[in-house]
Amino acid sequence: MLVVDGLDVHYGDLQVLWGISLEVRDGEIVALIGSNGAGKSTLIRAIAGLIRPTKGTIRLDHLLLNRRPPHEIVKAGISMVPEGRRLFPKMSVLQNLRMGAFMKKARHEIEQTLGWVYDIFPVLKERSDQPAGLLSGGEQQMLAIGRALMANNRVLLLDEMSLGLSPLLVQNLFKIIAQINETGISVLIVEQNVPMTLRLADRAYIIETGHIVGEGAAESLLNSPRVREAYLGIGPECEDSLGGV
Amino acid sequence: MGQTLVYGILNGSLYGIIALGIALVFGIMKYLNLAQGTLIILGAYIGLYLSQLGLDPFLSIPVVMVALFLFAAVLFKTCFSRLINFDEEEKIKNSLLISFGLMLFLDNLITVIWTSDERSITPAYSGITFELFGLRIPLIGLAGALLAVILILLLHLFLTRTYFGQSVVAVSQDQEAASLMGVNVSLTFLTSFAISVSIASIPSMLIALQSFSPTVGLHWFNKGIVVVILSGIGNIYGVLPAGLFLGIIEALSVYIFGPSYREVTGLAVFVLILILVPKGLFRRRGAA
Amino acid sequence: MHSRKIIPVILLLAVIALFPVMTRSEYILNIMITFFLYVILSESWNLIGGFAGQISLGHSAFFGIGALVTRLVWLSGIPVIPALFAGGIGAAALACSVGIPCLRMTQAYFPIGTLALAMIAQITIGNIFPLPGSLSSEYVAAYNLSSRYYLAFAVGIFTVLTVYLFARSKKGLALVAIRDDEGAAAAVGVKPFQHKILALLVSSFMAGLGGGIFAYQHVSYFYSAPFELSWAFLPTLTTFIGGLGTISGPIIGSVAFLALSELFVLNLGEIHLLVFGATFVLIVMFLPKGLFSLSVGIRSFLRDWALRLIGRGEAKKL
């Protein structure tokens, strides 16, 4: 239902994305993988409306979204958890969550959604009166995800969610994302942690220097020698060491 | 001495409301509006025009408020809207420069329309004072101080109790994140700018009741920016105490050095504080 | 500068140098002196505002101190050229004591801090010297406009050359690097703060020389007159309108400012400032490199157009 077709993005005169096409179907988790600076974050920011593409289209069902400002894209049904969490540091946890439900349609269901988010992240309920800036890194990330969920949207974009968090916390967050996905929310995820992301995702796209160079079912990518060599740092000769990630 | 303090406090509350407009724009948008003083003076001339039609200065405040709101909205659309997505430093620099040009333009436009003569509005009650604990308190000054307090309370309620107010606070803390929550940032900017300028209608009237001429806008801006920096940039709850502080310092310097050094003392204290406590005197943790 | 350009520049300077010989009109000579003043002040501002990227709204303080010191030293019987230097050094000393703390502050504070400095200076001097200072009769008897003219002309050339050489030097290049990306410049070992101080000192010294010319030119003026804020706004306007961070920009801007102010001189409310204010806003918004970039654009447009007329074969020879 989220369909990106032939997207070009420029920073000034510099072209960073070239004819990107991808699709996120209903209820899917789709991963974008690629090395640093390949354009993953640029792509996800372009979908959220934070960057204006120069060419191509972004559609949600039949709604054309490219060249719309971010607030209209949220209204159309796409929420984003930005890189670096980007909470409102001086607002309390509860105020942050309420800001997540700023849109009129989300305001009507706010109490219900809040209950659901508190169920997923009980720690947010405990900390609801604390300023967001004083939370720990993991709690901040939970708040960022919770805040995006407050909009009650069908599509969730996750940009570098695990940056700076401990492996245990990351594993936990991935489980929660799977849980959220089971309620019917489609997820597009950009991650550094390739093996874990491929285990979580249904499908994945590989981006290199602004081009999509591969796509497929996550499982088959996880087993493809090319991906293992490029992103998992594992040559074909030592395959069995992958087990414990 | 006590009488000096009374005048210091009343002047200080005027400085506080002037600063409020500048602090709001800076805190929310990271724009530095050098033309705020000139817009105050523009409001004073509109008030003068209304008083010539027979409207009482205090009753004309709402009219001036609406006029300034609309004028500011147009000004924002034409001159300032292109800066919305600049990074913070570029915003400060470009808004400062644009508003500097606007200040020169408007100052001289006002001169062309109303001549450079010094004006003032003098209603029948302009000289009235009353006594309290042996101190003379001018009626107009006291009304101004009350208006300042009411205005800050209203603004506080608006920012904390309404959805729109919360979105303004969100934009001030992280513009991009706010847009991802569904906040229309350009509309928030436009409205915040227009509200901040329309707040100038109160100092407009208080200054109109003293005296004004086309080019004193920068002088009043300067009072305002001194207070803004004293209170810690962007902190709207600090502007009233910081304004009172400046008012009292000035009053004391008049008492000690005589009236000709009033401005210098205020500015010198300001420069000293800028150097010694660059984060401001009246900073409150967690304030918007 | 290309060697090609040197000849017309020298010719132009020679013509300007002959003005006092060609005309006895005090009006024209005074206008030219004012023009030199504008150029001196604008180029000086350009160094800190254009090359270092620090917008100063307080250059009137440096200009004013230069005027005050020069006037007092000169009237105490010392020849004008040492007096002029004393003025420049006075301005640099003021920059040292107050300007440097201002530079320590972040971008938002520097313009505001310098503006406050300018206001303090104006009011204080107005309080200390409430009366206009006039030349005594022996000085008036010795008054000679063409000596003022040549001194202003010389200081003007000195200022332009200084900024030109400074901008081309290693320090000047470092300054531009800092302006464009302070973090990156610091990462390669450039010390941002030291370079900004140097730019401020040179800039204020030259503004002080400009003030000295003002003091030498006028027979009688209020001591606070060169401290008026218009002397702070003028170089900001001319430099932006002419072209920030270029050598010819401030000169172009000064010509435009002077021409407009003379054109509207009899009008109410300084219409030239109204025009300049509006132009300034438009330029900050649409032409951040100033009229200079427009002239470059027009020139290249005209050249392209001419080339197309002449035809491809001829164009190759150009």
Side-chain angles (χ1 to χ4, degrees), chain A residues 159-213:
Chain A
D159 193 5
E160 303 287 10
M161 176 183 73
S162 63
L163 225 60
L165 300 181
S166 76
L168 200 69
L169 257 169
V170 174
Q171 221 159 24
N172 216 350
L173 282 179
F174 270 77
K175 270 184 208 149
I176 289 169
I177 297 299
Q179 234 180 71
I180 292 168
N181 173 245
E182 267 160 34
T183 66
I185 295 175
S186 313
V187 177
L188 178 64
I189 180 169
V190 163
E191 262 301 329
Q192 297 285 340
N193 189 333
V194 175
M196 226 186 223
T197 312
L198 286 181
R199 291 228 173 83
L200 174 75
D202 299 310
R203 290 188 306 114
Y205 293 86
I206 304 171
I207 299 193
E208 276 307 318
T209 57
H211 300 268
I212 291 205
V213 296

Side-chain angles (χ1 to χ4, degrees), chain C residues 146-281:
Chain C
S146 55
S147 75
R148 267 87 187 154
Y149 184 92
Y150 285 117
L151 190 64
F153 186 42
V155 173
I157 291 176
F158 169 76
T159 315
V160 175
L161 265 182
T162 307
V163 175
Y164 177 74
L165 294 175
F166 192 93
R168 297 228 139 183
S169 73
K170 235 174 140 179
K171 294 209 179 302
L173 294 175
L175 211 56
V176 173
I178 293 164
R179 179 193 66 193
D180 293 341
D181 190 341
E182 182 156 340
V188 296
V190 175
K191 295 202 173 102
F193 189 55
Q194 287 183 3
H195 281 85
K196 285 185 205 163
I197 291 177
L198 182 68
L200 180 64
L201 287 183
V202 176
S203 169
S204 56
F205 178 79
M206 294 189 305
L209 290 186
I213 298 290
F214 178 95
Y216 185 52
Q217 181 195 2
H218 290 88
V219 174
S220 170
Y221 64 91
F222 280 97
Y223 279 105
S224 59
F227 285 91
E228 271 170 21
L229 291 181
S230 53
W231 291 107
F233 297 162
L234 174 116
T236 316
L237 287 172
T238 51
T239 309
F240 258 92
I241 286 174
L244 200 63
T246 64
I247 300 297
S248 50
I251 303 174
I252 298 173
S254 298
V255 172
F257 191 86
L258 196 62
L260 263 186
S261 50
E262 285 304 313
L263 198 63
F264 290 119
V265 73
L266 294 176
N267 265 309
L268 169 83
E270 312 221 49
I271 288 191
H272 70 282
L273 278 179
L274 191 146
V275 175
F276 255 71
T279 316
F280 181 85
V281 172

